[in-house]
Amino acid sequence: MNVIYNFAVNAINGALNIYARCVSDKCQGKFSRFLTGRRNLMNRIRDDMNQMPRKGMVVWFHASSLGEYAVARPLIARLHRECECTVVFTFFSPSGYEPLRDRHPGIDYLYYLPIDTRHNACEFLDAVRPDRAVFIISELWPNFLQQLKFRAIPTYLVSAIIRENSSCFRWYGKTFRKALFAFTKIFVLNEESRFNLKMFGYTNAEVNGDPLFDNASLVASTEWNDEVISNFTSGHKVFMAGSVSDDKDADMVCHVANSHSGLRSILVPHDISEKGVAQLQSRLKVNSKLYSECDTDTDFTDTDVLIVNSMGKLAYMYRYATVAYVGGGFTPLLHSVIEATVYGVPVSFGPRIERKITPAQLMKSGLGQMVTTPAELDTWVWRLINDDTRLDEIKAGAREYVKHNTGNVEFLIRTIINGQ
């Protein structure tokens, strides 16, 4: 299976390198940005690392996209408080790299992850020479992990959920099962994950809380104001839909917005390309404006929907919501419901919650709601919008729930620093 995997990634890497030479820098599609962002990547990494003053530990963090970065962020902040270190961070996706490209507090060097070939893994690790490596949630890159293990570099997987139907348990999963043994320790979010790891022989797993709570609480406590959004929401109850990811999400949230003229709705699409935003806006029958077209003097008197077509604001914006819908729940990739919950906002989501543990907990405690049809979402939103007593109860319950689940970072960081 390793032979098949390596043949496949080498073929993909070669094809991507050829295609990248043909793509114009002006192309704005996600795949095009994925390619152009990796041009001359290893040369840039080597040049930076050769000039880097090595102070303390070099810690390499890797995440897929911006949502996973939210797990790493409180770890990085705590790491800097605990020791002198240099943080190198890699992303696989443009949706993680691009929002942080110009400003990335706590990160000393930011790159795309080279494609997972043996050659790239060796070149990258030769250049960076990390003392520790931290992978977030579900990032399993066999060649990088094999090289980390070969070099005896303490390596950790954080906030993992290992399900019975994960790729590790499939007939083709031997390569990924083997890769898990490169981790010095795996921090999982529930006992089921630890049991599943034990089933195929991995015994150094630890159940630990989700650092997303620490990150979201940090964001919620940060003073932040957006004059455009403040102007739009002032004096109104607000339905906010974050990470609207696909046609099903769009059907759900646009139905709510279209059904209640006068309700202020904020829609935040996951795809903020001109085409993606236009498709979302075309579904609306009520008056809408794009965030990019507004300023502090914009008149929102006759505007029912504000579409936020910019990145990096979502976790801060939930403070303006009365009720929220989080997208991605009709696929296996439900986005973070914690970001809304830390503000005491009731949160709804689609039915695909198998890769998360928080949605089920929110449903059990009455703080969240699974919805499967536009009518269900509309009923839930309108019932809460008109029930201030229930909104206050949910806010109080969410405050206690978040308090119970924060404070998970210290143990993780001590373990990583000590290389245990």
Side-chain angles (χ1 to χ4, degrees), residues 104 132 144 188 268 295 321:
H104 38 267
R132 304 286 188 273
F144 277 99
V188 296
V268 188
D295 57 35

Side-chain angles (χ1 to χ4, degrees), residues 64 68 135-141 157-162 355:
S64 175
E68 288 75 15
F135 288 60
I136 305 299
I137 300 182
S138 59
E139 288 295 277
L140 294 177
W141 297 108
L157 181 62
V158 174
S159 289
I161 297 178
I162 309 296
R355 296 184 66 181

